[in-house]
mmCIF file of all heavy atoms in Angstrom:
data_model
loop_
_atom_site.group_PDB
_atom_site.id
_atom_site.type_symbol
_atom_site.label_atom_id
_atom_site.label_comp_id
_atom_site.label_asym_id
_atom_site.label_seq_id
_atom_site.Cartn_x
_atom_site.Cartn_y
_atom_site.Cartn_z
ATOM 1 N N GLY Y 102 -60.950 -32.812 5.085
ATOM 2 C CA GLY Y 102 -59.903 -32.726 4.058
ATOM 3 C C GLY Y 102 -60.002 -33.934 3.126
ATOM 4 O O GLY Y 102 -59.995 -35.076 3.597
ATOM 5 N N VAL Y 103 -60.121 -33.650 1.839
ATOM 6 C CA VAL Y 103 -60.343 -34.717 0.861
ATOM 7 C C VAL Y 103 -59.239 -35.783 0.933
ATOM 8 O O VAL Y 103 -59.496 -36.982 0.897
ATOM 9 C CB VAL Y 103 -60.448 -34.112 -0.557
ATOM 10 C CG1 VAL Y 103 -60.548 -35.207 -1.608
ATOM 11 C CG2 VAL Y 103 -61.648 -33.187 -0.653
ATOM 12 N N ARG Y 104 -57.989 -35.342 1.099
ATOM 13 C CA ARG Y 104 -56.854 -36.268 1.177
ATOM 14 C C ARG Y 104 -57.029 -37.268 2.338
ATOM 15 O O ARG Y 104 -56.878 -38.466 2.202
ATOM 16 C CB ARG Y 104 -55.592 -35.418 1.390
ATOM 17 C CG ARG Y 104 -54.292 -36.068 1.506
ATOM 18 C CD ARG Y 104 -53.642 -36.409 0.192
ATOM 19 N NE ARG Y 104 -53.981 -37.757 -0.249
ATOM 20 C CZ ARG Y 104 -53.912 -38.159 -1.504
ATOM 21 N NH1 ARG Y 104 -53.562 -37.339 -2.451
ATOM 22 N NH2 ARG Y 104 -54.221 -39.391 -1.827
ATOM 23 N N SER Y 141 -70.561 -28.253 2.925
ATOM 24 C CA SER Y 141 -71.194 -28.176 1.607
ATOM 25 C C SER Y 141 -71.047 -29.497 0.856
ATOM 26 O O SER Y 141 -71.718 -29.715 -0.145
ATOM 27 C CB SER Y 141 -70.550 -27.057 0.796
ATOM 28 O OG SER Y 141 -69.159 -27.268 0.722
ATOM 29 N N GLU Y 142 -70.177 -30.371 1.343
ATOM 30 C CA GLU Y 142 -70.052 -31.694 0.714
ATOM 31 C C GLU Y 142 -71.391 -32.424 0.692
ATOM 32 O O GLU Y 142 -71.609 -33.276 -0.151
ATOM 33 C CB GLU Y 142 -69.030 -32.557 1.478
ATOM 34 C CG GLU Y 142 -67.589 -32.249 1.178
ATOM 35 C CD GLU Y 142 -67.043 -32.980 -0.058
ATOM 36 O OE1 GLU Y 142 -67.421 -34.145 -0.319
ATOM 37 O OE2 GLU Y 142 -66.227 -32.374 -0.762
ATOM 38 N N ARG Y 167 -64.848 -40.710 -1.532
ATOM 39 C CA ARG Y 167 -65.064 -39.311 -1.200
ATOM 40 C C ARG Y 167 -66.416 -39.061 -0.548
ATOM 41 O O ARG Y 167 -66.535 -38.237 0.363
ATOM 42 C CB ARG Y 167 -64.973 -38.475 -2.474
ATOM 43 C CG ARG Y 167 -65.180 -37.034 -2.181
ATOM 44 C CD ARG Y 167 -65.606 -36.206 -3.335
ATOM 45 N NE ARG Y 167 -65.615 -34.831 -2.869
ATOM 46 C CZ ARG Y 167 -64.875 -33.889 -3.382
ATOM 47 N NH1 ARG Y 167 -64.080 -34.135 -4.382
ATOM 48 N NH2 ARG Y 167 -64.933 -32.675 -2.880
ATOM 49 N N ASN Y 199 -66.124 -23.800 1.097
ATOM 50 C CA ASN Y 199 -64.659 -23.730 1.144
ATOM 51 C C ASN Y 199 -64.222 -22.516 1.961
ATOM 52 O O ASN Y 199 -64.443 -21.380 1.541
ATOM 53 C CB ASN Y 199 -64.100 -23.678 -0.277
ATOM 54 C CG ASN Y 199 -64.396 -24.965 -1.034
ATOM 55 O OD1 ASN Y 199 -65.549 -25.230 -1.351
ATOM 56 N ND2 ASN Y 199 -63.382 -25.754 -1.290
ATOM 57 N N TYR Y 209 -54.004 -31.794 3.831
ATOM 58 C CA TYR Y 209 -55.141 -32.707 3.654
ATOM 59 C C TYR Y 209 -55.919 -32.388 2.379
ATOM 60 O O TYR Y 209 -57.041 -32.810 2.222
ATOM 61 C CB TYR Y 209 -56.042 -32.663 4.902
ATOM 62 C CG TYR Y 209 -55.233 -32.817 6.164
ATOM 63 C CD1 TYR Y 209 -54.992 -31.727 7.004
ATOM 64 C CD2 TYR Y 209 -54.647 -34.039 6.473
ATOM 65 C CE1 TYR Y 209 -54.203 -31.864 8.133
ATOM 66 C CE2 TYR Y 209 -53.855 -34.182 7.596
ATOM 67 C CZ TYR Y 209 -53.642 -33.092 8.427
ATOM 68 O OH TYR Y 209 -52.852 -33.236 9.526
ATOM 69 N N GLY Y 210 -55.334 -31.597 1.507
ATOM 70 C CA GLY Y 210 -55.930 -31.372 0.195
ATOM 71 C C GLY Y 210 -56.290 -29.925 -0.093
ATOM 72 O O GLY Y 210 -56.320 -29.529 -1.248
ATOM 73 N N MET Y 211 -56.561 -29.094 0.936
ATOM 74 C CA MET Y 211 -57.158 -27.776 0.708
ATOM 75 C C MET Y 211 -56.394 -26.957 -0.336
ATOM 76 O O MET Y 211 -55.199 -26.697 -0.217
ATOM 77 C CB MET Y 211 -57.248 -26.995 2.014
ATOM 78 C CG MET Y 211 -58.378 -27.458 2.900
ATOM 79 S SD MET Y 211 -58.047 -29.074 3.613
ATOM 80 C CE MET Y 211 -59.361 -29.176 4.824
ATOM 81 N N VAL Y 212 -57.147 -26.533 -1.327
ATOM 82 C CA VAL Y 212 -56.516 -26.013 -2.536
ATOM 83 C C VAL Y 212 -55.794 -24.667 -2.352
ATOM 84 O O VAL Y 212 -54.715 -24.469 -2.925
ATOM 85 C CB VAL Y 212 -57.550 -25.958 -3.692
ATOM 86 C CG1 VAL Y 212 -58.626 -24.908 -3.441
ATOM 87 C CG2 VAL Y 212 -56.877 -25.714 -5.018
ATOM 88 N N VAL Y 213 -56.365 -23.750 -1.588
ATOM 89 C CA VAL Y 213 -55.738 -22.419 -1.515
ATOM 90 C C VAL Y 213 -54.346 -22.467 -0.860
ATOM 91 O O VAL Y 213 -53.374 -22.002 -1.461
ATOM 92 C CB VAL Y 213 -56.677 -21.376 -0.848
ATOM 93 C CG1 VAL Y 213 -55.916 -20.114 -0.508
ATOM 94 C CG2 VAL Y 213 -57.840 -21.053 -1.789
ATOM 95 N N ARG Y 215 -52.444 -24.941 -0.687
ATOM 96 C CA ARG Y 215 -51.578 -25.740 -1.570
ATOM 97 C C ARG Y 215 -51.036 -24.878 -2.712
ATOM 98 O O ARG Y 215 -49.841 -24.848 -2.971
ATOM 99 C CB ARG Y 215 -52.358 -26.921 -2.151
ATOM 100 C CG ARG Y 215 -52.541 -28.047 -1.149
ATOM 101 C CD ARG Y 215 -53.322 -29.180 -1.787
ATOM 102 N NE ARG Y 215 -52.550 -29.848 -2.833
ATOM 103 C CZ ARG Y 215 -51.641 -30.773 -2.598
ATOM 104 N NH1 ARG Y 215 -51.368 -31.136 -1.350
ATOM 105 N NH2 ARG Y 215 -50.992 -31.349 -3.584
ATOM 106 N N PHE Y 216 -51.942 -24.152 -3.360
ATOM 107 C CA PHE Y 216 -51.503 -23.312 -4.480
ATOM 108 C C PHE Y 216 -50.524 -22.224 -4.008
ATOM 109 O O PHE Y 216 -49.496 -21.979 -4.641
ATOM 110 C CB PHE Y 216 -52.710 -22.639 -5.161
ATOM 111 C CG PHE Y 216 -53.480 -23.547 -6.092
ATOM 112 C CD1 PHE Y 216 -53.128 -24.885 -6.259
ATOM 113 C CD2 PHE Y 216 -54.565 -23.057 -6.828
ATOM 114 C CE1 PHE Y 216 -53.833 -25.726 -7.117
ATOM 115 C CE2 PHE Y 216 -55.265 -23.879 -7.690
ATOM 116 C CZ PHE Y 216 -54.916 -25.210 -7.834
ATOM 117 N N GLN Y 219 -47.198 -23.814 -3.161
ATOM 118 C CA GLN Y 219 -46.468 -24.188 -4.385
ATOM 119 C C GLN Y 219 -45.880 -22.954 -5.058
ATOM 120 O O GLN Y 219 -44.728 -22.959 -5.505
ATOM 121 C CB GLN Y 219 -47.413 -24.916 -5.359
ATOM 122 C CG GLN Y 219 -47.806 -26.313 -4.889
ATOM 123 C CD GLN Y 219 -48.928 -26.934 -5.737
ATOM 124 O OE1 GLN Y 219 -49.705 -26.229 -6.370
ATOM 125 N NE2 GLN Y 219 -49.004 -28.261 -5.725
ATOM 126 N N THR Y 227 -50.251 -27.035 -9.160
ATOM 127 C CA THR Y 227 -50.875 -28.223 -9.766
ATOM 128 C C THR Y 227 -52.393 -28.155 -9.681
ATOM 129 O O THR Y 227 -52.991 -28.238 -8.616
ATOM 130 C CB THR Y 227 -50.390 -29.509 -9.064
ATOM 131 O OG1 THR Y 227 -50.654 -29.378 -7.661
ATOM 132 C CG2 THR Y 227 -48.908 -29.744 -9.295
ATOM 133 N N VAL Y 228 -52.994 -28.022 -10.854
ATOM 134 C CA VAL Y 228 -54.457 -27.999 -10.965
ATOM 135 C C VAL Y 228 -54.914 -29.412 -11.295
ATOM 136 O O VAL Y 228 -54.378 -30.033 -12.207
ATOM 137 C CB VAL Y 228 -54.872 -27.029 -12.097
ATOM 138 C CG1 VAL Y 228 -56.352 -27.186 -12.436
ATOM 139 C CG2 VAL Y 228 -54.551 -25.590 -11.712
ATOM 140 N N TYR Y 229 -55.890 -29.914 -10.534
ATOM 141 C CA TYR Y 229 -56.408 -31.261 -10.813
ATOM 142 C C TYR Y 229 -57.486 -31.189 -11.879
ATOM 143 O O TYR Y 229 -58.353 -30.309 -11.841
ATOM 144 C CB TYR Y 229 -56.984 -31.896 -9.547
ATOM 145 C CG TYR Y 229 -55.992 -32.055 -8.403
ATOM 146 C CD1 TYR Y 229 -56.428 -32.227 -7.089
ATOM 147 C CD2 TYR Y 229 -54.607 -32.051 -8.628
ATOM 148 C CE1 TYR Y 229 -55.541 -32.382 -6.042
ATOM 149 C CE2 TYR Y 229 -53.707 -32.201 -7.583
ATOM 150 C CZ TYR Y 229 -54.179 -32.362 -6.297
ATOM 151 O OH TYR Y 229 -53.304 -32.503 -5.252
ATOM 152 N N GLY Y 230 -57.448 -32.153 -12.798
ATOM 153 C CA GLY Y 230 -58.434 -32.166 -13.888
ATOM 154 C C GLY Y 230 -58.152 -31.022 -14.842
ATOM 155 O O GLY Y 230 -57.001 -30.602 -15.004
ATOM 156 N N GLN Y 234 -63.615 -26.864 -12.879
ATOM 157 C CA GLN Y 234 -64.481 -26.990 -11.694
ATOM 158 C C GLN Y 234 -64.390 -25.693 -10.881
ATOM 159 O O GLN Y 234 -63.340 -25.049 -10.864
ATOM 160 C CB GLN Y 234 -64.072 -28.211 -10.846
ATOM 161 C CG GLN Y 234 -62.749 -28.135 -10.115
ATOM 162 C CD GLN Y 234 -61.546 -28.581 -10.947
ATOM 163 O OE1 GLN Y 234 -61.515 -28.404 -12.155
ATOM 164 N NE2 GLN Y 234 -60.538 -29.138 -10.294
ATOM 165 N N SER Y 235 -65.509 -25.320 -10.241
ATOM 166 C CA SER Y 235 -65.509 -24.020 -9.542
ATOM 167 C C SER Y 235 -65.859 -24.161 -8.063
ATOM 168 O O SER Y 235 -66.505 -25.121 -7.639
ATOM 169 C CB SER Y 235 -66.488 -23.064 -10.222
ATOM 170 O OG SER Y 235 -67.798 -23.567 -10.079
ATOM 171 N N ARG Y 236 -65.427 -23.166 -7.306
ATOM 172 C CA ARG Y 236 -65.711 -23.084 -5.874
ATOM 173 C C ARG Y 236 -65.878 -21.613 -5.505
ATOM 174 O O ARG Y 236 -65.377 -20.724 -6.204
ATOM 175 C CB ARG Y 236 -64.542 -23.639 -5.034
ATOM 176 C CG ARG Y 236 -64.182 -25.106 -5.283
ATOM 177 C CD ARG Y 236 -65.236 -26.054 -4.743
ATOM 178 N NE ARG Y 236 -64.830 -27.444 -4.791
ATOM 179 C CZ ARG Y 236 -65.024 -28.252 -5.840
ATOM 180 N NH1 ARG Y 236 -65.599 -27.803 -6.943
ATOM 181 N NH2 ARG Y 236 -64.653 -29.524 -5.774
ATOM 182 N N PHE Y 238 -64.971 -19.179 -2.266
ATOM 183 C CA PHE Y 238 -64.167 -19.227 -1.041
ATOM 184 C C PHE Y 238 -64.599 -18.148 -0.046
ATOM 185 O O PHE Y 238 -64.813 -17.000 -0.422
ATOM 186 C CB PHE Y 238 -62.682 -19.078 -1.382
ATOM 187 C CG PHE Y 238 -62.181 -20.198 -2.245
ATOM 188 C CD1 PHE Y 238 -62.192 -20.096 -3.628
ATOM 189 C CD2 PHE Y 238 -61.741 -21.381 -1.666
ATOM 190 C CE1 PHE Y 238 -61.749 -21.144 -4.435
ATOM 191 C CE2 PHE Y 238 -61.299 -22.434 -2.449
ATOM 192 C CZ PHE Y 238 -61.310 -22.319 -3.836
ATOM 193 N N ILE Y 272 -61.120 -23.276 -10.681
ATOM 194 C CA ILE Y 272 -59.834 -23.582 -10.040
ATOM 195 C C ILE Y 272 -58.682 -23.075 -10.922
ATOM 196 O O ILE Y 272 -57.650 -22.639 -10.427
ATOM 197 C CB ILE Y 272 -59.742 -25.093 -9.733
ATOM 198 C CG1 ILE Y 272 -60.834 -25.486 -8.721
ATOM 199 C CG2 ILE Y 272 -58.364 -25.482 -9.209
ATOM 200 C CD1 ILE Y 272 -60.816 -24.718 -7.401
ATOM 201 N N LEU Y 275 -58.387 -19.499 -10.081
ATOM 202 C CA LEU Y 275 -57.749 -19.386 -8.764
ATOM 203 C C LEU Y 275 -56.233 -19.529 -8.906
ATOM 204 O O LEU Y 275 -55.470 -18.723 -8.353
ATOM 205 C CB LEU Y 275 -58.305 -20.478 -7.834
ATOM 206 C CG LEU Y 275 -57.651 -20.551 -6.456
ATOM 207 C CD1 LEU Y 275 -58.078 -19.376 -5.588
ATOM 208 C CD2 LEU Y 275 -58.009 -21.867 -5.756
ATOM 209 N N TYR Y 294 -56.973 -36.421 -11.994
ATOM 210 C CA TYR Y 294 -57.487 -36.778 -10.670
ATOM 211 C C TYR Y 294 -56.891 -38.106 -10.216
ATOM 212 O O TYR Y 294 -56.601 -38.303 -9.043
ATOM 213 C CB TYR Y 294 -59.016 -36.895 -10.698
ATOM 214 C CG TYR Y 294 -59.717 -35.560 -10.735
ATOM 215 C CD1 TYR Y 294 -60.435 -35.166 -11.852
ATOM 216 C CD2 TYR Y 294 -59.671 -34.701 -9.645
ATOM 217 C CE1 TYR Y 294 -61.085 -33.937 -11.891
ATOM 218 C CE2 TYR Y 294 -60.310 -33.477 -9.667
ATOM 219 C CZ TYR Y 294 -61.024 -33.101 -10.788
ATOM 220 O OH TYR Y 294 -61.664 -31.893 -10.817
ATOM 221 N N TYR Y 298 -55.416 -38.493 -6.665
ATOM 222 C CA TYR Y 298 -56.153 -39.203 -5.615
ATOM 223 C C TYR Y 298 -56.291 -40.709 -5.838
ATOM 224 O O TYR Y 298 -56.954 -41.381 -5.056
ATOM 225 C CB TYR Y 298 -57.566 -38.604 -5.481
ATOM 226 C CG TYR Y 298 -57.594 -37.203 -4.919
ATOM 227 C CD1 TYR Y 298 -58.126 -36.147 -5.658
ATOM 228 C CD2 TYR Y 298 -57.109 -36.929 -3.638
ATOM 229 C CE1 TYR Y 298 -58.166 -34.857 -5.147
ATOM 230 C CE2 TYR Y 298 -57.148 -35.649 -3.122
ATOM 231 C CZ TYR Y 298 -57.675 -34.618 -3.866
ATOM 232 O OH TYR Y 298 -57.715 -33.354 -3.359
ATOM 233 N N PHE Y 302 -61.875 -41.676 -7.946
ATOM 234 C CA PHE Y 302 -62.169 -40.391 -7.308
ATOM 235 C C PHE Y 302 -63.162 -39.609 -8.161
ATOM 236 O O PHE Y 302 -63.136 -39.656 -9.378
ATOM 237 C CB PHE Y 302 -60.887 -39.563 -7.145
ATOM 238 C CG PHE Y 302 -61.135 -38.270 -6.420
ATOM 239 C CD1 PHE Y 302 -61.263 -38.249 -5.049
ATOM 240 C CD2 PHE Y 302 -61.283 -37.079 -7.128
ATOM 241 C CE1 PHE Y 302 -61.529 -37.062 -4.381
ATOM 242 C CE2 PHE Y 302 -61.546 -35.895 -6.468
ATOM 243 C CZ PHE Y 302 -61.662 -35.892 -5.084
ATOM 244 N N ASP Y 304 -64.920 -35.711 -8.447
ATOM 245 C CA ASP Y 304 -64.936 -34.324 -7.982
ATOM 246 C C ASP Y 304 -66.314 -33.737 -8.287
ATOM 247 O O ASP Y 304 -67.106 -34.346 -9.010
ATOM 248 C CB ASP Y 304 -63.859 -33.508 -8.737
ATOM 249 C CG ASP Y 304 -63.440 -32.261 -7.961
ATOM 250 O OD1 ASP Y 304 -63.910 -32.073 -6.819
ATOM 251 O OD2 ASP Y 304 -62.633 -31.481 -8.493
ATOM 252 N N MET Y 305 -66.608 -32.573 -7.717
ATOM 253 C CA MET Y 305 -67.852 -31.919 -8.140
ATOM 254 C C MET Y 305 -67.492 -30.723 -9.009
ATOM 255 O O MET Y 305 -66.498 -30.028 -8.760
ATOM 256 C CB MET Y 305 -68.739 -31.523 -6.969
ATOM 257 C CG MET Y 305 -68.193 -30.504 -6.039
ATOM 258 S SD MET Y 305 -67.476 -31.255 -4.604
ATOM 259 C CE MET Y 305 -68.823 -32.151 -3.940
ATOM 260 N N ARG Y 308 -69.530 -25.601 -7.100
ATOM 261 C CA ARG Y 308 -70.003 -25.516 -5.719
ATOM 262 C C ARG Y 308 -70.023 -24.056 -5.302
ATOM 263 O O ARG Y 308 -68.988 -23.393 -5.254
ATOM 264 C CB ARG Y 308 -69.103 -26.304 -4.785
ATOM 265 C CG ARG Y 308 -69.645 -26.272 -3.366
ATOM 266 C CD ARG Y 308 -68.616 -26.701 -2.387
ATOM 267 N NE ARG Y 308 -68.509 -28.128 -2.302
ATOM 268 C CZ ARG Y 308 -67.427 -28.731 -1.811
ATOM 269 N NH1 ARG Y 308 -66.389 -28.030 -1.435
ATOM 270 N NH2 ARG Y 308 -67.396 -30.037 -1.718
HETATM 271 N N1 UDP A 1 -57.446 -28.980 -6.272
HETATM 272 C C1 UDP A 1 -56.451 -28.774 -7.203
HETATM 273 N N2 UDP A 1 -55.143 -28.866 -6.797
HETATM 274 C C2 UDP A 1 -54.790 -29.141 -5.497
HETATM 275 C C3 UDP A 1 -55.816 -29.357 -4.547
HETATM 276 C C4 UDP A 1 -57.135 -29.263 -4.971
HETATM 277 O O1 UDP A 1 -56.732 -28.486 -8.378
HETATM 278 O O2 UDP A 1 -53.591 -29.212 -5.215
HETATM 279 C C5 UDP A 1 -58.861 -28.852 -6.703
HETATM 280 C C6 UDP A 1 -59.766 -30.010 -6.287
HETATM 281 O O3 UDP A 1 -59.738 -31.042 -7.220
HETATM 282 C C7 UDP A 1 -61.123 -29.335 -6.220
HETATM 283 C C8 UDP A 1 -60.788 -27.911 -5.764
HETATM 284 O O4 UDP A 1 -59.401 -27.715 -6.067
HETATM 285 O O5 UDP A 1 -61.744 -29.284 -7.469
HETATM 286 C C9 UDP A 1 -61.017 -27.679 -4.284
HETATM 287 O O6 UDP A 1 -60.355 -28.697 -3.571
HETATM 288 P P1 UDP A 1 -60.334 -28.789 -1.981
HETATM 289 O O7 UDP A 1 -59.756 -30.127 -1.640
HETATM 290 O O8 UDP A 1 -59.693 -27.577 -1.417
HETATM 291 O O9 UDP A 1 -61.848 -28.703 -1.528
HETATM 292 P P2 UDP A 1 -63.203 -29.399 -2.048
HETATM 293 O O10 UDP A 1 -64.007 -28.244 -2.535
HETATM 294 O O11 UDP A 1 -62.911 -30.369 -3.143
HETATM 295 O O12 UDP A 1 -63.755 -30.032 -0.845
#
Side-chain angles (χ1 to χ4, degrees):
V103 175
R104 180 83 268 158
S141 56
E142 281 275 324
R167 180 202 186 119
N199 295 69
Y209 311 106
M211 283 71 169
V212 68
V213 168
R215 283 180 68 82
F216 282 2
Q219 289 170 336
T227 55
V228 168
Y229 300 160
Q234 70 273 32
S235 65
R236 300 289 188 272
F238 298 92
I272 297 303
L275 175 73
Y294 284 113
Y298 291 120
F302 183 79
D304 203 4
M305 64 262 302
R308 183 196 279 160

